Amino acid sequence: MADDEAMEVFKPYYQMGGVLQFIVYDGAQDGESDSMAAIHDGLANTGSLNESAFAKLKGRQISLGQFFGDWYDPADGGLIKLGSVTTVGGQNLSNPKLVSLENLQVASSGGPGVEVGAGGQFAYAYLNPPYGLAGTPVEIQSRFDDIREAILPKAHAATIFDWTNPSLDKVSDYFTAGKEWWGIFLFSIYIPDLQKLTIIAGSATD
């Protein structure tokens, strides 16, 4: 597992109310098999783990676009507030960039959720915890940029596996809360050049 210094990048996100869990391992030799071992250990430490259901768990390799999903603009790395936003001044905005809301007072907003267990949509999971993130749009984007660079450094190729499926609650009760409403997420990101493996898990409810 990575040392405490390597985990510092995630602390501001947790302080803002983020609910995704990040575990980083150094010295990984194989993306898929090491991911299985890391996921097993992580879930075993969070509560119940159904070994027979875990043995059937399958990951699928996904692209960067699938990983980040619809709440992310790959052209500039900006988060998108997918849906409609109405400002105190009466502006009606559709799918605005998050940072474009920096100096605006939002009167109301609404947007789509995600299909529970469908996979992908890391940007949604980051941006939309059940009780929101406590920060300005620029701060939220900045923390996202820091995490993105930590888990997917631009100078290195990555292999991303999505282990999410609607039956993850049968593997571990960690995923029971998220299946009820917010969503469930389980990814592994392997950087061969750095022998670095990051596991990302999410499950939460209100």
Side-chain angles (χ1 to χ4, degrees):
M1 190 177 297
D3 58 28
D4 291 342
E5 184 177 350
M7 300 301 291
E8 285 291 320
V9 69
F10 306 110
K11 286 187 177 180
Y13 165 68
Y14 295 138
Q15 291 166 354
M16 291 193 304
V19 298
L20 289 172
Q21 301 298 312
F22 297 85
I23 306 175
V24 182
Y25 295 86
D26 293 324
Q29 301 295 318
D30 179 86
E32 190 166 8
S33 63
D34 284 356
S35 293
M36 284 288 289
I39 291 168
H40 181 279
D41 290 349
L43 293 178
N45 289 328
T46 62
S48 70
L49 177 63
N50 184 317
E51 294 287 355
S52 62
F54 178 82
K56 300 174 185 176
L57 185 63
K58 301 292 184 184
R60 58 190 181 279
Q61 189 170 344
I62 60 173
S63 66
L64 278 173
Q66 290 170 315
F67 171 69
F68 285 116
D70 301 324
W71 279 257
Y72 176 81
D73 186 345
D76 61 8
L79 292 165
I80 300 170
K81 188 71 173 175
L82 207 63
S84 60
V85 173
T86 302
T87 70
V88 170
Q91 285 181 278
N92 294 308
L93 308 173
S94 178
N95 303 332
K97 288 288 185 64
L98 179 66
V99 295
S100 73
L101 304 175
E102 176 69 10
N103 296 310
L104 298 177
Q105 289 183 285
V106 175
S108 64
S109 64
V114 297
E115 183 181 349
V116 174
Q121 305 294 1
F122 170 76
Y124 168 86
Y126 168 90
L127 184 58
N128 297 286
Y131 292 102
L133 292 175
T136 69
V138 167
E139 289 170 342
I140 293 168
Q141 178 70 57
S142 180
R143 298 294 81 74
F144 178 83
D145 293 341
D146 293 342
I147 290 173
R148 182 187 59 199
E149 182 59 25
I151 63 177
L152 286 162
K154 294 188 177 103
H156 301 276
T159 301
I160 306 173
F161 277 89
D162 192 339
W163 304 83
T164 312
N165 68 68
S167 299
L168 274 180
D169 61 322
K170 293 181 174 61
V171 175
S172 170
D173 61 2
Y174 169 78
F175 295 104
T176 301
K179 187 171 181 180
E180 293 175 356
W181 172 63
W182 177 71
I184 50 180
F185 304 88
L186 185 59
F187 305 104
S188 62
I189 300 175
Y190 179 54
I191 312 293
D193 292 353
L194 304 177
Q195 295 186 329
K196 178 180 177 181
L197 173 66
T198 302
I199 304 298
I200 306 169
S203 176
T205 188
D206 60 348

